[in-house]
Amino acid sequence: MAQVSINSDLGEWGLSTDSGERARLLQSPSVDIAPKSEGEAPPGGLGRGTTSTLGAIFIVVNACLGAGLLNFPAAFSTAGGVAAGITLQMAMLVFIISGLVILAYCSQASNERTYQEVVWAVCGKLTGVLCEVAIATYTFGTCIAFLIIIGDQQDKIIAVMAKEPEGAGGSPWYTDRKFTISLTAFLFILPLSIPREIGFQKYASFLSVVGTWYVTAIIIIKYIWPDKEMTPADILNRPASWIAVFNAMPTICFGFQCHVSSVPVFNSMRRPEVKTWGGVVTAAMVIALAVYMGTGICGFLTFGAAVDPDVLLSYPSEDMAVAVARAFIILSVLTSYPILHFCGRAVVEGLWLRYQGMPVEEDVGRERRRRVLQTLVWFLLTLLLALFIPDIGKVISVIGGLAACFIFVFPGLCLIQAKLSEMEEVKPASWWAMVSYGVLLVTLGAFIFGQTTANAIFVDLLA
């Protein structure tokens, strides 16, 4: 791709002077980027970072893998079996990787360092605001999903500790799902969400990665050496319809969505070059694909069409190896919620300050009060919704549709705008191919988002 200077003057795009602050707010604490200022960046690129190529691969894999892993066996069931699930993932992986490369190209061309700043610079104010609203909504929905996951895993663990059959009536009040979720949230999640900084992520990330690999290993082992009481239901060999295949897409989008955090990672590299980045994201996505496929295939073949949307719920409560996996998932979610809330809160803060026409708040007292208020409102709303939406599958479907926007729609729009900004009078064939590919990405993402939204409205609400 030819180098294009899209955003040489921030004032042209109506951006406030605190864009660098917003970039640092949304920057992952696990990456290290030098501050951007005039005269520091070399011509045609951003300042040098400190992350090696191997380190960048690890960070992208870490950003990609997470609790969405638990939903992949159900996605294989929805898609219509192993063959359909593998084909769907492989096909989508091409678009997922290309979206990551497009974002790096546009970041380099626009001299911006975060996802939403790239969209602002390349696509303009309206699309930039829509992107920020989408990020806030996505992180809010994911926080709800995390609380539901905590409740799901705690139910199984408590059933073993209380030595009572699952779902038995007359259980003590302190084992009630709503009470245990609320207690865990108030004791652990809320205190971790209030601080201004989240530097603990670099330590929690290691445990999260270990937990993810452990869950995958357990699911594979349990398929190879199954327990006697675990017998699979019907094993689907073909999709029931094309609609069924498309219904599996949101789960895959939710699992592979690392695009929002990918732009800071790209700019943290010692050599932030698009070609090098292409190799980084290809290697990272292949690793993530292996983990998701191992989990999806073995989990689906173990339980068949009866697999739960959260695959760990399909295993017996008394299985100690699976209980350890549940504990890992709870620990991962407890540390991931504050990180996602931090990102969502930063976007909400930026939107509020821009709406009020205010600079970044320098009054520590006022900033603290606003941060605490935002955190409490966010926390209480997500907790209440999690208590009354017990089905994780529905939440994953909705936020998976939003993930499709980050993977397809916004990168596609950025590619189209970037190519349209090129001033050649005679457009080569490659130019038209790039624009057409951008249109394809936007169309695919809009289709997935529209489908999940329609399902949420017309299927769930009217059922």
Side-chain angles (χ1 to χ4, degrees):
M1 296 181 180
Q3 180 66 35
V4 181
S5 180
I6 296 174
N7 182 36
S8 57
D9 183 4
L10 293 176
E12 294 179 0
W13 299 92
L15 294 178
S16 62
T17 56
D18 66 331
S19 61
E21 175 68 17
R22 293 201 308 275
R24 287 191 288 277
L25 283 172
L26 280 180
Q27 179 181 313
S28 170
S30 61
V31 300
D32 182 18
I33 308 177
K36 181 180 70 172
S37 61
E38 292 183 14
E40 288 187 4
L46 298 172
R48 297 282 181 179
T50 61
T51 306
S52 65
T53 300
L54 187 61
I57 293 174
F58 175 80
I59 295 172
V60 174
V61 170
N62 183 32
C64 186
L65 297 178
L69 172 85
L70 304 177
N71 307 102
F72 269 73
F76 272 73
S77 178
T78 301
V82 173
I86 292 176
T87 303
L88 182 61
Q89 283 195 67
M90 294 296 291
M92 293 185 67
L93 198 66
V94 175
F95 298 107
I96 291 169
I97 293 174
S98 67
L100 290 165
V101 174
I102 290 169
L103 289 169
Y105 166 71
C106 291
S107 172
Q108 200 171 62
S110 64
N111 200 35
E112 296 293 350
R113 300 188 177 207
T114 65
Y115 188 101
Q116 73 279 5
E117 294 294 340
V118 169
V119 176
W120 261 84
V122 178
C123 299
K125 181 178 180 180
L126 177 60
T127 308
V129 171
L130 290 175
C131 177
E132 291 186 327
V133 171
I135 291 175
T137 306
Y138 176 82
T139 52
F140 184 83
T142 306
C143 287
I144 296 173
F146 283 171
L147 291 172
I148 296 174
I149 289 172
I150 290 175
D152 289 343
Q153 308 312 322
Q154 285 181 332
D155 285 347
K156 290 283 189 176
I157 294 175
I158 290 173
V160 175
M161 296 176 63
K163 297 181 180 179
E164 294 181 356
E166 296 175 43
S171 299
W173 60 269
Y174 52 82
T175 64
D176 180 75
R177 175 189 176 92
K178 293 180 180 178
F179 174 77
T180 57
I181 293 177
S182 301
L183 181 64
T184 304
F186 274 101
L187 287 181
F188 298 101
I189 292 178
L190 182 58
L192 292 174
S193 299
I194 292 178
R196 185 175 184 178
E197 303 295 336
I198 53 170
F200 61 85
Q201 183 200 17
K202 58 184 66 178
Y203 306 107
S205 295
F206 176 74
L207 291 176
S208 178
V209 171
V210 171
T212 300
W213 283 94
Y214 178 81
V215 171
T216 300
I218 287 297
I219 292 174
I220 294 173
I221 290 171
K222 290 294 181 181
Y223 168 67
I224 298 174
W225 295 287
D227 296 336
K228 293 181 180 179
E229 62 269 25
M230 293 192 309
T231 56
D234 294 336
I235 304 295
L236 304 176
N237 294 318
R238 63 184 64 182
S241 64
W242 283 107
I243 297 298
V245 176
F246 293 133
N247 285 337
M249 287 184 172
T251 299
I252 296 174
C253 290
F254 178 67
F256 281 97
Q257 198 290 114
C258 58
H259 294 58
V260 173
S261 58
S262 70
V263 180
V265 177
F266 167 71
N267 289 298
S268 75
M269 295 177 63
R270 294 171 188 162
R271 298 178 59 193
E273 299 173 356
V274 175
K275 184 177 180 180
T276 304
W277 178 248
V280 166
V281 295
T282 300
M285 291 303 103
V286 168
I287 294 172
L289 178 69
V291 174
Y292 283 138
M293 276 196 176
T295 305
I297 293 172
C298 294
F300 169 69
L301 292 179
T302 300
F303 300 104
V307 66
D308 197 276
D310 180 343
V311 66
L312 290 184
L313 298 185
S314 299
Y315 293 93
S317 298
E318 61 274 9
D319 191 315
M320 291 308 299
V322 178
V324 174
R326 294 190 179 105
F328 266 122
I329 290 296
I330 291 175
L331 180 62
S332 173
V333 168
L334 285 176
T335 56
S336 297
Y337 180 108
I339 295 167
L340 275 173
H341 161 257
F342 175 87
C343 296
R345 186 179 71 199
V347 172
V348 172
E349 176 80 352
L351 287 170
W352 169 255
L353 292 178
R354 190 183 301 113
Y355 175 76
Q356 294 292 322
M358 300 165 58
V360 173
E361 186 57 67
E362 296 179 358
D363 186 332
V364 177
R366 292 177 61 186
E367 184 278 330
R368 184 186 297 113
R369 288 194 296 270
R370 192 166 58 244
R371 169 164 44 86
V372 171
L373 177 61
Q374 291 169 350
T375 300
L376 287 175
V377 172
W378 182 289
F379 170 78
L380 292 174
L381 284 176
T382 55
L383 178 59
L384 287 173
L385 289 171
L387 295 179
F388 295 99
I389 306 177
D391 187 356
I392 186 68
K394 295 179 180 179
V395 179
I396 294 296
S397 177
V398 173
I399 59 180
L402 278 172
C405 294
F406 302 129
I407 295 173
F408 304 114
V409 175
F410 291 118
L413 289 174
C414 286
L415 179 60
I416 293 171
Q417 291 296 328
K419 301 311 291 184
L420 290 177
S421 67
E422 295 181 2
M423 304 305 295
E424 296 92 338
E425 294 183 2
V426 179
K427 308 296 185 185
S430 61
W431 185 93
W432 292 104
M434 288 294 180
V435 172
S436 300
Y437 187 73
V439 172
L440 176 62
L441 285 177
V442 173
T443 303
L444 179 59
F447 172 79
I448 297 174
F449 176 74
Q451 183 197 24
T452 56
T453 303
N455 284 343
I457 296 174
F458 297 107
V459 177
D460 295 332
L461 296 183
L462 300 180

